[in-house]
Amino acid sequence: MGSEPSARIETVLQEERVFEPSQFVRKEASISGIDHYLKIIDSAKAHPERFWQEEALKELHWFKPFESVLDWSNPPFARWFDGGKTNVSYNCLDRHINNGKGEKVAIIWEGEPGDVRRITYKELFEEVCKTANALKDLGIKKGDLVALYMPMVPEAAIAMLACARIGAPHSVVFGGFSSEALRDRLIDGQAKVVITADGGFRKDKIISLKDAVDTALEDNSCPTVKSVLVVKRTNESVSFNAGRDYWWHELIPSQSKECPAEHMDSEDRLFVLYTSGSTGKPKGVVHTTSGYNLWAHLTFKWIFDVQDNEVYWCTADVGWITGHSYIVYGPLSNGSTTFMYEGVPRPSKPGAFWEIIQKHKINIFYTAPTAIRAFMKSGRSIPDNYDLSSLRLLGTVGEPINPEAWMWYREVIGRDNCPIVDTWWQTETGGVMISPIPTAVSTKPGSATMPLPGIEVDVVNAEGESVETDQGGYLVIKRPWPGMMRTIHGNSKRFRETYWEYLKPRDGELVYFAGDGARRDKDGYYWIMGRVDDVINVSGHRLGTMEIESALVSHPFVAEAAVVGRPDELKGEAIVAFVTLESGKEFSEDLLIILKSHVVQEIGAIARPEEIRFTNALPKTRSGKIMRRLLRSLASGEEVKGDTSTLEDRNVLDELRK
Ligand code: 7RM
């Protein structure tokens, strides 16, 4: 892992305000109050396996009940609910229809130009079945990987559920990634089919998704991909490759509306989702059927507690885990109405979110701190223009939320009336791990509060020992949970090393290392302090510094690159790159622009460096490791503190300071 991780665990937030949960307590809530909460926490702690067993039997439909709850005989490779057979799409669709909820709206969708679709559970079921049948026609069989590279349209959710229905794991690639990034993921996952669209609306532009797919597949670079299914969304003219490409609207409507859900083993793959780590290329996080389904379902129910007549909106993109768990699987498994929006707020539409909340009477709203900070900056007069009185619960996810933004969210958007759930979790954890239960747990601005029932976390030092109250350390998870990632696709060694062997196992017990720093206060509340590895979080998007460095170095003019995050008021972190050039190449303003677009081409616009600094050399230790700690200080304009004695050449530092 990266250099000197502990260097970043130093800031201690001071925050004394506490908000009681009482005003929110409602007897219909899935966890009705503090007594109920403590009862669940205690029973999960006392008999974890019995607890998970009861929840799994109660909350999911089983074609065949499981024989064992947890098999942890070969850690860190867990098996949950072995012997059981279920299907995630059945849990999200059929069982609600069988319970008389077929006419309930499952998805309300608003398109970027303002078009609205309301899809009932029955309609969604039929669309999913038709799509599943079409995938079968394209030769997809149980176990085959289907890639999605789509805008935020209902067809994205339909395609995910169709894959789940026939047991074909999906790999959703965020539509903002470049064709190069898409290609890497298609090759790594050996995708058989790509589902995409002619284009997608992104801010005030149209992005050419199909063109990017064509580029990714050029020169037979992904030989496993046999077909491309294309949703017509923007009417972009696209080139069509006969025998490989199919229009969604030509292939799907004529299919049968019935497709029996495949009986899946609990540990059959549900999806692979790529996420950035501190080394090399993004890794394919593997999630499996029953455990993931249970965890997305339970966490959604406990935290958001959506009532039957309510509308819930998560503003994420389905290309991220938040979209998987809290736009699609969590809400639909619970039979809730999930709202999906194709667009994002931006200067030309600053009130977009508030207009939607007013228009669709959104009750529960879940977004990212970076969005909240941007709203804060443009002033409360914008949200104040809208009727937000339907809101009753607000959530945040993706990065630490600063107390000021938390308070603004509470006062301006929640009118001092809605609890805020700050939910800490990761792609790897499948669902939320640390979050308040709004009916039971008092909140403090900036703290994700306490772990959910059945989740045991700790803050430890590099030796794996628990640290004292208010001391910074590494956040670890101490026992397996149903939604945990099962492995890294094609690289179980990396899975073990990255997450389970980074910290020395204590007493032979493996603990999961999350990559985040944290501190626990005197009340047992957790304060997440951000990544301690070489992963940066830009506007809630997770990026590996190494990934951006490789992108830079792949340009022929670049000799070496080191990328760090610099604290940024709006984005959380901004990308700063230090670059040395091949001999004979000159620094110039033009080259700066070229290199920035080169990174965009290699990864996507989310990875565009905010700043590139040219230098003659990078600061390194005698063993040749780049000293990122120094670069981080330099990038943020701080005084370079701490030990610089290991620096190989002190002149480098002096040069960089200039
Ligand atoms: C859900 C998601 C995971 C990383 C994680 C943290 C950071 C996420 C919070 C947070 C502080 C939060 N998955 N993070 N939520 N930090 N408070 N509530 O974001 O895999 O893309 O990123 O995001 O650093 O390790 S992710």
Side-chain angles (χ1 to χ4, degrees):
M1 186 151 304
S3 36
E4 309 156 273
S6 56
R8 284 166 83 183
I9 315 177
E10 45 194 29
T11 28
V12 173
L13 277 165
Q14 290 301 337
E15 180 56 57
E16 301 295 338
R17 287 167 289 200
V18 176
F19 295 89
E20 302 293 330
S22 58
Q23 57 188 312
F24 181 76
V25 172
R26 27 190 309 146
K27 57 180 184 311
E28 323 87 54
S30 65
I31 298 182
S32 58
I34 185 74
D35 294 342
H36 188 189
Y37 170 76
L38 290 175
K39 217 176 103 195
I40 298 178
I41 292 273
D42 290 346
S43 88
K45 192 166 200 150
H47 304 286
E49 294 199 23
R50 193 165 80 199
F51 174 74
W52 297 121
Q53 172 175 356
E54 284 170 5
E55 294 295 339
L57 291 173
K58 190 160 58 118
E59 302 295 338
L60 302 183
H61 169 89
W62 297 90
F63 297 121
K64 177 173 172 283
F66 46 89
E67 283 147 24
S68 69
V69 179
L70 167 65
D71 176 355
W72 190 235
S73 59
N74 180 29
F77 304 97
R79 298 185 65 86
W80 283 88
F81 309 117
D82 250 344
K85 290 205 181 270
T86 185
N87 182 291
V88 180
S89 108
Y90 189 97
N91 284 319
C92 289
L93 302 167
D94 308 53
R95 63 168 169 164
H96 306 314
I97 296 168
N98 298 342
N99 285 338
K101 278 168 72 171
E103 298 312 314
K104 177 171 175 172
V105 175
I107 298 178
I108 306 175
W109 171 82
E110 179 157 334
E112 175 57 34
D115 39 342
V116 172
R117 283 170 69 184
R118 303 170 77 84
I119 305 170
T120 64
Y121 272 94
K122 178 83 188 312
E123 290 162 347
L124 185 60
F125 166 81
E126 291 178 357
E127 290 308 310
V128 168
C129 286
K130 287 193 275 184
T131 308
N133 286 325
L135 288 173
K136 285 187 189 166
D137 276 2
L138 293 176
I140 293 298
K141 294 194 185 59
K142 187 169 164 175
D144 288 345
L145 191 92
V146 174
L148 273 66
Y149 184 62
M150 297 183 79
M152 281 288 290
V153 291
E155 285 76 7
I158 293 168
M160 289 163 76
L161 291 162
C163 290
R165 196 155 189 93
I166 60 174
H170 53 69
S171 163
V172 186
V173 180
F174 173 55
F177 279 125
S178 68
S179 55
E180 314 283 322
L182 172 65
R183 179 189 292 145
D184 289 344
R185 287 157 177 75
L186 295 177
I187 293 173
D188 186 77
Q190 305 214 307
K192 299 272 163 61
V193 168
V194 183
I195 307 182
T196 188
D198 53 351
F201 298 102
R202 191 162 293 278
K203 301 209 171 150
D204 298 306
K205 291 195 295 237
I206 284 178
I207 48 167
S208 315
L209 294 166
K210 173 62 165 60
D211 285 356
V213 173
D214 290 342
T215 308
L217 299 182
E218 248 166 33
D219 305 324
N220 201 26
S221 12
C222 311
T224 54
V225 175
K226 300 290 181 228
S227 346
V228 179
L229 185 54
V230 190
V231 174
K232 202 177 195 70
R233 174 62 190 141
T234 55
N235 281 317
E236 292 307 274
S237 71
V238 293
S239 61
F240 243 61
N241 187 324
R244 188 196 72 183
D245 299 349
Y246 301 87
W247 282 115
W248 179 286
H249 62 264
E250 287 174 0
L251 202 64
I252 311 286
S254 56
Q255 298 285 336
S256 156
K257 289 179 190 167
E258 266 165 55
C259 173
E262 195 73 41
H263 291 198
M264 302 300 290
D265 285 329
S266 284
E267 285 300 341
D268 279 336
R269 285 180 177 207
L270 178 64
F271 63 86
V272 178
L273 182 60
Y274 288 81
T275 193
S276 297
S278 49
T279 48
K281 295 258 179 210
K283 48 202 179 206
V285 170
V286 173
H287 282 290
T288 56
T289 300
S290 304
Y292 172 82
N293 193 166
L294 180 65
W295 196 230
H297 178 101
L298 270 183
T299 51
F300 182 80
K301 181 174 159 149
W302 286 340
I303 299 165
F304 297 112
D305 192 27
V306 182
Q307 305 296 302
D308 212 23
N309 57 347
E310 289 189 318
V311 183
Y312 155 91
W313 179 21
C314 164
T315 67
D317 189 287
V318 290
W320 309 115
I321 189 70
T322 308
H324 284 57
S325 302
Y326 300 110
I327 294 177
V328 181
Y329 292 119
L332 297 178
S333 182
N334 280 280
S336 302
T337 301
T338 180
F339 181 84
M340 212 174 154
Y341 177 47
E342 189 178 26
V344 290
R346 52 191 185 278
S348 63
K349 272 192 172 181
F353 277 9
W354 322 126
E355 197 178 324
I356 287 176
I357 291 174
Q358 170 179 291
K359 178 167 157 195
H360 297 279
K361 302 202 168 40
I362 303 292
N363 305 103
I364 290 117
F365 179 64
Y366 190 29
T367 195
T370 185
I372 298 166
R373 290 192 298 263
F375 297 137
M376 224 172 129
K377 195 165 176 210
S378 31
R380 68 175 293 160
S381 60
I382 297 169
D384 279 352
N385 266 325
Y386 298 88
D387 176 7
L388 306 180
S389 61
S390 58
L391 291 173
R392 90 171 164 81
L393 176 62
L394 302 173
T396 90
V397 60
E399 47 177 324
I401 180 164
N402 45 314
E404 298 67 39
W406 195 101
M407 287 303 297
W408 188 90
Y409 197 27
R410 183 185 159 87
E411 284 164 8
V412 178
I413 306 306
R415 290 142 294 122
D416 258 336
N417 212 9
C418 304
I420 292 184
V421 289
D422 172 1
T423 61
W424 177 86
W425 60 295
Q426 312 177 294
T427 307
E428 294 87 340
T429 66
V432 176
M433 302 295 278
I434 306 180
S435 162
I437 297 296
T439 48
V441 177
S442 303
T443 52
K444 303 184 188 185
S447 168
T449 75
M450 286 187 278
L452 292 177
I455 302 301
E456 204 186 315
V457 309
D458 199 2
V459 180
V460 302
N461 62 21
E463 275 68 54
E465 300 154 343
S466 300
V467 301
E468 302 285 309
T469 296
D470 280 332
Q471 294 295 303
Y474 301 109
L475 183 65
V476 296
I477 304 168
K478 295 181 72 175
R479 49 166 77 247
W481 66 102
M484 66 197 280
M485 75 184 283
R486 297 303 193 263
T487 190
I488 291 173
H489 173 72
N491 202 342
S492 48
K493 183 165 168 277
R494 189 169 166 203
F495 169 63
R496 175 192 284 276
E497 288 169 356
T498 311
Y499 300 103
W500 301 90
E501 287 176 353
Y502 179 67
L503 297 166
K504 293 185 193 75
R506 296 279 293 163
D507 326 318
E509 287 288 331
L510 292 183
V511 295
Y512 171 89
F513 169 59
D516 282 309
R519 112 186 130 85
R520 186 174 43 221
D521 72 14
K522 59 182 192 318
D523 302 318
Y525 277 48
Y526 287 82
W527 299 77
I528 312 294
M529 282 140 59
R531 300 293 303 199
V532 293
D533 53 7
D534 294 320
V535 169
I536 53 182
N537 195 323
V538 184
S539 301
H541 296 148
R542 181 171 157 179
L543 291 159
T545 51
M546 284 262 296
E547 228 180 310
I548 308 171
E549 289 163 8
S550 325
L552 283 164
V553 173
S554 74
H555 191 279
F557 286 16
V558 175
E560 269 194 310
V563 167
V564 296
R566 170 183 71 201
D568 182 276
E569 215 189 301
L570 284 181
K571 299 176 182 172
E573 283 183 283
I575 302 169
V576 179
F578 294 84
V579 164
T580 65
L581 296 180
E582 291 288 353
S583 60
K585 304 299 177 204
E586 297 280 326
F587 309 144
S588 72
E589 285 296 315
D590 284 350
L591 184 59
L592 208 115
I593 296 166
I594 292 170
L595 291 182
K596 286 185 182 179
S597 8
H598 182 70
V599 175
V600 174
Q601 197 192 326
E602 291 291 308
I603 304 174
I606 55 172
R608 184 198 303 273
E610 175 95 8
E611 200 185 317
I612 295 183
R613 297 194 192 174
F614 294 115
T615 168
N616 289 320
L618 293 170
K620 290 191 186 162
T621 62
R622 266 156 231 159
S623 61
K625 276 195 172 177
I626 295 171
M627 295 182 77
R628 287 167 202 285
R629 181 170 54 88
L630 298 187
L631 294 176
R632 273 198 291 270
S633 304
L634 284 167
S636 49
E638 289 167 9
E639 191 50 36
V640 175
K641 293 185 295 233
D643 187 12
T644 54
S645 59
T646 51
L647 194 60
E648 190 203 27
D649 178 359
R650 292 203 49 95
N651 297 328
V652 173
L653 190 58
D654 296 332
E655 193 222 343
L656 278 164
R657 281 212 182 93
K658 287 186 249 145

